[in-house]
């Protein structure tokens, strides 16, 4: 009989630690608090208020809830890291801050200086890359199984994303911006999708592309960057993927049918295809032709197909398109004729027609005729 909790089977110990973590989630702060919008420098008589800044992210909540568990035992530490780092969400920082010249937060009557506080919008991505870059953090990097990257559309941030992704050996589910297909190199995508077993290569089974509309200020620097399509390389292999999803619309360099055709050359083991994207400008467009290329490539393994909003093509037009015409309905089948056939003709039976076969001779068994 186990004398300590660490002597219990690992499955039972993990269940106990998970219940303790759920109790901790009820007690830790779930919101961050800050100050209201600072007034303009020349505006007088406006006071700042303490307000709820926003909810804490789920990955940060899990990390805070397992803080005490990580300090108890090595086994507990490893379990807490896998629980807290199994799913990561990294997004570009949006917002603005200003200095308040007061040492006491309870005294909000002091006027702000008006000096804007600059914060690197990509600090979370840079810090995460720096955390997993060291060899001592390889155990932490192996805990990540799913990651969501949002708001990184430039070539520099795309390079940071791939540097991060190639350090996660246990990654299975990935969601990233569609611009990763525009700025990522063939070598980066080849290592990300590689089927060989190494310590620096991830093994993806689910890949999602998130497309959004960019502002004019975001499109201008993107246009100045050189774009080399990685899908033209034969080294990019999607054979290991079992799930592919394309979400949202964009007004700049969106995915096209040509991209899906390139993916379908090697994506032959897809179990699920989800495409909820349509054409919102002339620079992007997905039609049923590209969807059917993926379906045809994975016709033996495909189980789920969800393509509810794609652009039309000349060869596949929906009923609302002006070039579509409904074919004439087929003629209805003739009504069945039931004619009794037996050894003796009934008095009430109608006379046989010329096209009906003669009755069988006496002494032989007859069967009722089937409906024709």
């Amino acid at each position: 009989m186990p004398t300590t909790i660490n002597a219990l089977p690992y499955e039972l110990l993990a269940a106990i630690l998970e219940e303790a973590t759920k109790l901790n989630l009820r007690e830790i702060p779930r919101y961050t608090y800050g100050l209201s919008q600072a007034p303009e420098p020349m505006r007088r008589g406006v006071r700042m208020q303490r307000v709820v800044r926003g909810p804490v992210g789920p990955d940060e909540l899990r990390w805070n809830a397992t803080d005490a568990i990580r300090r108890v035992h090595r086994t507990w530490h490893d379990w807490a890291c896998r629980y807290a780092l199994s799913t990561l969400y990294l997004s570009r920082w949006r917002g603005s801050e200003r200095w308040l010249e007061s040492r006491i937060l309870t005294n909000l009557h002091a006027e702000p200086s008006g000096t804007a506080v600059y914060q690197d919008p990509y600090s979370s991505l840079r810090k995460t890359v720096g955390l997993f870059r060291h060899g001592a953090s390889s155990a932490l990097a192996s805990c990540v199984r799913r990651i969501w990257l949002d708001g990184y559309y430039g070539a520099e941030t795309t390079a940071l994303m791939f540097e991060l992704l190639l350090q996660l050996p246990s990654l299975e589910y990935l969601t990233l911006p569609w611009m990763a297909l525009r700025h990522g190199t063939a070598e980066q995508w080849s290592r990300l999708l590689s089927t060989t077993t190494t310590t620096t290569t991830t093994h993806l089974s689910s890949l999602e592309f998130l497309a959004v509309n960019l502002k004019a200020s975001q499109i201008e620097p993107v246009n100045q960057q050189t774009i080399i399509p990685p899908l033209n390389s034969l080294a990019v292999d999607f054979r290991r993927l079992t799930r592919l999803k394309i979400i949202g619309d964009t007004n700049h360099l969106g995915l096209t049918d040509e991209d899906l055709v390139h993916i379908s050359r090697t994506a032959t083991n897809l179990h699920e295809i989800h495409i909820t994207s349509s054409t919102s400008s002339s620079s992007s467009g997905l039609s049923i032709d590209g969807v059917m290329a993926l379906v045809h490539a994975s016709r033996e393994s495909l189980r789920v197909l969800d393509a509810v909003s794609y652009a039309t093509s000349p060869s596949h037009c929906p009923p609302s398109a002006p070039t579509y015409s409904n074919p004439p309905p087929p003629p209805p089948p003739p009504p069945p004729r039931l004619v009794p056939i037996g050894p003796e003709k009934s008095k009430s039976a109608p006379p046989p027609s010329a096209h009906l076969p003669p009755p069988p001779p006496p002494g032989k068994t007859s069967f009722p005729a089937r409906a024709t």
Side-chain angles (χ1 to χ4, degrees):
M1 183 175 181
T3 57
T4 62
I5 188 174
N6 294 325
L8 293 174
Y10 182 80
E11 294 78 6
L12 182 57
L13 176 61
I16 296 174
L17 296 179
E18 185 176 0
E19 291 297 328
T21 303
K22 293 179 180 179
L23 295 176
N24 292 340
L25 287 173
R26 300 178 183 178
E27 300 178 359
I28 62 175
R30 307 181 69 91
Y31 293 89
T32 57
Y33 300 90
L35 303 178
S36 61
Q37 179 69 28
E40 299 179 0
M42 302 301 296
R43 192 174 180 181
R44 304 290 181 179
V46 179
R47 298 180 180 180
M48 300 178 62
Q49 302 291 333
R50 284 172 294 180
V51 296
V52 176
R53 187 177 181 182
V56 181
D59 47 357
E60 187 176 353
L61 280 176
R62 291 193 300 269
W63 182 262
N64 295 337
T66 56
D67 180 65
I69 297 178
R70 293 194 304 271
R71 306 171 187 269
V72 176
H73 191 267
R74 181 65 183 180
T75 304
W76 296 28
H77 178 275
D78 296 342
W79 177 90
C81 290
R82 285 191 294 269
Y83 180 85
L85 299 177
S86 60
T87 302
L88 292 182
Y89 177 84
L90 299 179
S91 178
R92 180 175 63 90
W93 182 80
R94 300 175 178 88
S96 61
E97 295 179 353
R98 303 176 71 176
W99 286 107
L100 176 65
E101 297 178 352
S102 176
R103 296 182 180 180
I104 305 176
L105 291 180
T106 57
N107 183 15
L108 300 180
H109 301 283
E111 297 180 0
S113 63
T115 304
V117 182
Y118 172 77
Q119 181 174 345
D120 184 9
Y122 311 117
S123 60
S124 59
L125 179 60
R126 298 182 192 275
K127 291 180 180 179
T128 307
V129 172
L131 173 64
F132 295 145
R133 182 181 296 166
H134 303 286
S137 302
S138 59
L140 295 179
S142 61
C143 298
V144 181
R145 298 182 62 248
R146 181 171 187 173
I147 189 170
W148 180 299
L149 301 169
D150 183 23
Y152 308 111
Y153 311 120
E156 180 183 359
T157 54
T158 300
L160 288 175
M161 284 193 302
F162 277 99
E163 183 179 356
L164 171 63
L165 296 175
L166 295 177
Q167 296 173 358
L168 308 178
S170 302
L171 186 64
E172 299 180 12
Y173 308 94
L174 172 62
T175 301
L176 73 170
W178 83 106
M179 290 301 293
L181 276 179
R182 303 302 181 222
H183 296 306
T185 63
E187 180 183 0
Q188 292 172 336
W189 277 103
S190 176
R191 294 182 59 191
L192 183 65
L193 301 168
S194 176
T195 57
T196 58
T197 304
T198 62
T199 57
T200 59
T201 308
T202 59
H203 307 285
L204 287 177
S205 61
S206 175
L207 181 60
E208 299 181 6
F209 292 106
L210 178 61
V212 297
N213 291 325
L214 299 180
K215 299 180 181 179
S217 58
Q218 295 175 311
I219 294 178
E220 183 176 357
V222 171
N223 287 330
Q224 299 175 359
Q225 300 166 357
T226 303
I227 297 178
I228 302 176
L231 296 180
N232 295 338
S233 175
L234 298 178
V236 181
D237 192 350
F238 295 87
R239 199 180 314 274
R240 199 173 180 85
L241 289 183
T242 59
R243 183 175 181 268
L244 178 63
K245 188 172 184 177
I246 302 175
I247 316 170
D249 301 328
T250 181
N251 56 355
H252 184 70
L253 298 177
L255 300 182
T256 61
D257 287 340
E258 184 179 359
D259 297 325
L260 297 188
V261 170
H262 285 305
I263 294 176
S264 65
R265 293 183 306 183
T266 54
T268 57
N269 298 317
L270 293 176
H271 295 172
E272 300 180 19
I273 299 176
H274 304 267
I275 298 180
T276 58
S277 176
S278 63
T279 175
S280 58
S281 66
S282 59
S283 61
S284 65
L286 294 178
S287 68
I288 194 174
D289 293 332
V291 176
M292 292 308 298
L294 293 174
V295 172
H296 180 74
S298 302
R299 58 187 180 275
E300 297 182 358
S301 60
L302 188 62
R303 301 175 183 175
V304 178
L305 174 60
D306 181 14
V308 297
S309 178
Y310 44 75
T312 60
S313 63
S315 58
H316 301 87
C317 296
S320 59
T323 58
Y324 183 87
S325 60
N326 291 314
R337 299 183 59 186
L338 301 178
V339 180
I341 299 177
E344 295 181 2
K345 191 188 325 180
S346 174
K347 296 181 180 180
S348 60
S353 304
H355 62 277
L356 294 177
K364 292 186 178 182
T365 306
S366 60
F367 299 93
R370 296 181 180 178
T372 58

PDB file of all heavy atoms in Angstrom, residues 337 339 352-358:
ATOM      1  N   ARG A 337     -47.878  -2.405 -64.012  1.00  0.00           N
ATOM      2  CA  ARG A 337     -49.054  -3.168 -64.478  1.00  0.00           C
ATOM      3  C   ARG A 337     -49.014  -4.543 -63.822  1.00  0.00           C
ATOM      4  O   ARG A 337     -48.040  -5.280 -63.932  1.00  0.00           O
ATOM      5  CB  ARG A 337     -49.031  -3.315 -65.991  1.00  0.00           C
ATOM      6  CG  ARG A 337     -49.087  -1.977 -66.725  1.00  0.00           C
ATOM      7  CD  ARG A 337     -49.128  -2.197 -68.220  1.00  0.00           C
ATOM      8  NE  ARG A 337     -50.277  -2.979 -68.605  1.00  0.00           N
ATOM      9  CZ  ARG A 337     -50.504  -3.424 -69.838  1.00  0.00           C
ATOM     10  NH1 ARG A 337     -49.640  -3.147 -70.809  1.00  0.00           N
ATOM     11  NH2 ARG A 337     -51.581  -4.133 -70.095  1.00  0.00           N
ATOM     12  N   VAL A 339     -50.660  -8.109 -63.779  1.00  0.00           N
ATOM     13  CA  VAL A 339     -51.482  -9.028 -64.584  1.00  0.00           C
ATOM     14  C   VAL A 339     -51.393 -10.405 -63.959  1.00  0.00           C
ATOM     15  O   VAL A 339     -50.302 -10.972 -63.861  1.00  0.00           O
ATOM     16  CB  VAL A 339     -51.000  -9.068 -66.042  1.00  0.00           C
ATOM     17  CG1 VAL A 339     -51.862 -10.037 -66.853  1.00  0.00           C
ATOM     18  CG2 VAL A 339     -51.033  -7.677 -66.637  1.00  0.00           C
ATOM     19  N   PRO A 352     -56.117 -11.516 -72.694  1.00  0.00           N
ATOM     20  CA  PRO A 352     -54.680 -11.243 -72.830  1.00  0.00           C
ATOM     21  C   PRO A 352     -54.404 -10.386 -74.044  1.00  0.00           C
ATOM     22  O   PRO A 352     -55.024 -10.524 -75.088  1.00  0.00           O
ATOM     23  CB  PRO A 352     -54.077 -12.640 -72.957  1.00  0.00           C
ATOM     24  CG  PRO A 352     -55.183 -13.487 -73.487  1.00  0.00           C
ATOM     25  CD  PRO A 352     -56.455 -12.926 -72.937  1.00  0.00           C
ATOM     26  N   SER A 353     -53.424  -9.504 -73.872  1.00  0.00           N
ATOM     27  CA  SER A 353     -53.026  -8.642 -74.982  1.00  0.00           C
ATOM     28  C   SER A 353     -52.040  -9.369 -75.865  1.00  0.00           C
ATOM     29  O   SER A 353     -51.512 -10.435 -75.511  1.00  0.00           O
ATOM     30  CB  SER A 353     -52.413  -7.347 -74.445  1.00  0.00           C
ATOM     31  OG  SER A 353     -53.342  -6.706 -73.578  1.00  0.00           O
ATOM     32  N   ALA A 354     -51.799  -8.753 -76.985  1.00  0.00           N
ATOM     33  CA  ALA A 354     -50.902  -9.398 -77.942  1.00  0.00           C
ATOM     34  C   ALA A 354     -49.470  -9.422 -77.440  1.00  0.00           C
ATOM     35  O   ALA A 354     -48.693 -10.298 -77.792  1.00  0.00           O
ATOM     36  CB  ALA A 354     -50.988  -8.689 -79.297  1.00  0.00           C
ATOM     37  N   HIS A 355     -49.121  -8.420 -76.594  1.00  0.00           N
ATOM     38  CA  HIS A 355     -47.720  -8.334 -76.181  1.00  0.00           C
ATOM     39  C   HIS A 355     -47.444  -9.136 -74.907  1.00  0.00           C
ATOM     40  O   HIS A 355     -46.308  -9.202 -74.470  1.00  0.00           O
ATOM     41  CB  HIS A 355     -47.337  -6.880 -75.928  1.00  0.00           C
ATOM     42  CG  HIS A 355     -48.129  -6.241 -74.821  1.00  0.00           C
ATOM     43  ND1 HIS A 355     -49.381  -5.710 -75.039  1.00  0.00           N
ATOM     44  CD2 HIS A 355     -47.857  -6.077 -73.497  1.00  0.00           C
ATOM     45  CE1 HIS A 355     -49.831  -5.205 -73.900  1.00  0.00           C
ATOM     46  NE2 HIS A 355     -48.928  -5.442 -72.945  1.00  0.00           N
ATOM     47  N   LEU A 356     -48.480  -9.719 -74.294  1.00  0.00           N
ATOM     48  CA  LEU A 356     -48.264 -10.500 -73.086  1.00  0.00           C
ATOM     49  C   LEU A 356     -47.908 -11.931 -73.451  1.00  0.00           C
ATOM     50  O   LEU A 356     -48.409 -12.474 -74.450  1.00  0.00           O
ATOM     51  CB  LEU A 356     -49.511 -10.494 -72.202  1.00  0.00           C
ATOM     52  CG  LEU A 356     -49.892  -9.140 -71.605  1.00  0.00           C
ATOM     53  CD1 LEU A 356     -51.177  -9.277 -70.808  1.00  0.00           C
ATOM     54  CD2 LEU A 356     -48.769  -8.630 -70.712  1.00  0.00           C
ATOM     55  N   PRO A 357     -47.042 -12.583 -72.637  1.00  0.00           N
ATOM     56  CA  PRO A 357     -46.693 -13.978 -72.949  1.00  0.00           C
ATOM     57  C   PRO A 357     -47.878 -14.891 -72.692  1.00  0.00           C
ATOM     58  O   PRO A 357     -48.756 -14.595 -71.880  1.00  0.00           O
ATOM     59  CB  PRO A 357     -45.540 -14.268 -71.980  1.00  0.00           C
ATOM     60  CG  PRO A 357     -45.750 -13.329 -70.842  1.00  0.00           C
ATOM     61  CD  PRO A 357     -46.348 -12.100 -71.446  1.00  0.00           C
ATOM     62  N   PRO A 358     -47.956 -16.030 -73.405  1.00  0.00           N
ATOM     63  CA  PRO A 358     -49.076 -16.965 -73.209  1.00  0.00           C
ATOM     64  C   PRO A 358     -48.983 -17.620 -71.851  1.00  0.00           C
ATOM     65  O   PRO A 358     -47.908 -17.702 -71.248  1.00  0.00           O
ATOM     66  CB  PRO A 358     -48.896 -17.985 -74.338  1.00  0.00           C
ATOM     67  CG  PRO A 358     -47.428 -17.944 -74.648  1.00  0.00           C
ATOM     68  CD  PRO A 358     -47.004 -16.518 -74.427  1.00  0.00           C
TER      69      PRO A 358
END
